[in-house]
Amino acid sequence: MAEGIPAAEFVRFADVSVVFGRGAASVQALQAISLSFAKGDFVCIVGPSGCGKTTLMQTLAGFLRPSTGAVSVDGQPIAGPGPDRGVVFQQPALFPWRTVEANAGFGPEMRGIDPAQRRARVETWLARVGLTEFRHRYPYELSGGMQQRLAIVRALVNEPVLLLMDEPFGALDALTREKMQEELHAVWRTSGMTVLFITHSVEEAVYLGTEVVVMSPRPGRIIERIAAPFARKEGDRDIRAIKSSPAFVAMRERILGLIWGMAEG
Ligand SMILES: Nc1ncnc2c1ncn2[C@@H]1O[C@H](COP(=O)(O)OP(=O)(O)OP(=O)(O)O)[C@@H](O)[C@H]1O
Ligand SMILES: [Mg+2]
């Protein structure tokens, strides 16, 4: 942590608004978003389609500058994309002409990390997500779930301080999705990484998040922040048992109620 930066402000969106376009055709995507969280938090964002979730993430990734307000990490204003922030998009954006291994090693290669260290990192992460035996294959030879795992590996090999994920499991079948949730949870628990995670699934948000942030319809504002205890739960991590426990169901239903309430105006 940089000196003088409060722990709870490791990531800080300060009064962030985003307006696309000009004049009558302009669209206000975000309105005065103020949100801070600590290193090691796993923050899940839920909210109706078009409420500005991706826009918010893009300001932190450094792909988009806020119209007003500021975004900072560890006290440093975001000036553009950087290897400290790994980004995983909803559709895996892989290089079709590169093998699994070469896709995974892209970031370290671009940064000039020496080949031996690069290979070691790639091997470690491919093994962790069960892709070792496919390392010489090409993306078209992988299933959708495997491609998504590779996209996650490609972000993780850079050992980012922050992992930004936009609906990363949206296209997966229910079983693969839960397996990926378990894998991601294990990576987060062992690495101490900070995660910002967008999802349309309230259940996924309550399971993975240390906090669930609910956004309003456009222009996106923060309606409520709910601390979730399940991600830090120790001991038996049976995903089905956690998701069917009364405390889990109650929190899931409360958040769904908030979202339904907004839809009904
Ligand atoms: N580059 C852009 N130019 C103009 N308008 C944009 C641009 N990007 C997003 N928007 C608009 O800003 C609003 C928020 O979009 P955003 O993609 O952030 O929503 P979202 O919450 O991620 O939605 P979804 O859940 O469907 O992915 C939408 O009305 C969208 O049309
Ligand atoms: Mg989006």
Side-chain angles (χ1 to χ4, degrees), residues 59-231:
T59 63
L60 180 55
F63 300 146
L64 179 73
R65 214 176 258 281
S67 308
T68 56
V71 186
S72 60
V73 175
D74 209 7
Q76 298 297 314
I78 299 290
D84 59 321
R85 282 152 291 142
V87 183
V88 179
F89 301 96
Q90 181 168 3
Q91 300 300 330
L94 302 169
F95 301 116
W97 60 89
R98 285 184 162 232
T99 61
V100 164
E101 203 169 55
N103 262 287
F106 178 75
E109 189 182 319
M110 288 298 110
R111 285 158 57 216
I113 293 191
D114 84 76
Q117 198 191 344
R118 196 164 78 211
R119 264 196 304 276
R121 273 201 212 175
V122 165
E123 262 175 42
T124 304
W125 284 107
L126 288 180
R128 257 191 107 157
V129 303
L131 284 176
T132 303
E133 61 177 299
F134 298 94
R135 65 189 182 280
H136 301 309
R137 302 292 185 87
Y138 288 86
Y140 77 88
E141 298 176 280
L142 306 179
S143 73
M146 290 156 78
Q147 291 181 20
Q148 197 52 269
R149 274 183 270 165
L150 177 55
I152 293 168
V153 164
R154 204 173 53 179
L156 292 175
V157 286
N158 292 311
E159 294 171 1
V161 177
L162 257 168
L163 183 62
L164 313 181
M165 306 180 96
D166 193 352
E167 266 288 318
F169 307 149
L172 304 180
D173 69 88
L175 180 63
T176 311
R177 187 169 188 151
E178 291 210 326
K179 288 194 179 307
M180 293 296 290
Q181 289 170 2
E182 285 182 306
E183 277 168 21
L184 176 63
H185 179 267
V187 166
W188 169 74
R189 279 298 277 263
T190 49
S191 68
M193 199 163 44
T194 309
V195 184
L196 186 70
F197 187 100
I198 295 172
T199 178
H200 282 117
S201 163
V202 171
E203 183 191 81
E204 183 168 82
V206 174
Y207 177 72
L208 287 173
T210 54
E211 180 177 348
V212 181
V213 175
V214 182
M215 283 177 64
S216 72
R218 188 168 62 81
R221 283 151 292 137
I222 291 175
I223 295 289
E224 199 157 326
R225 300 178 62 171
I226 297 130
F230 308 98

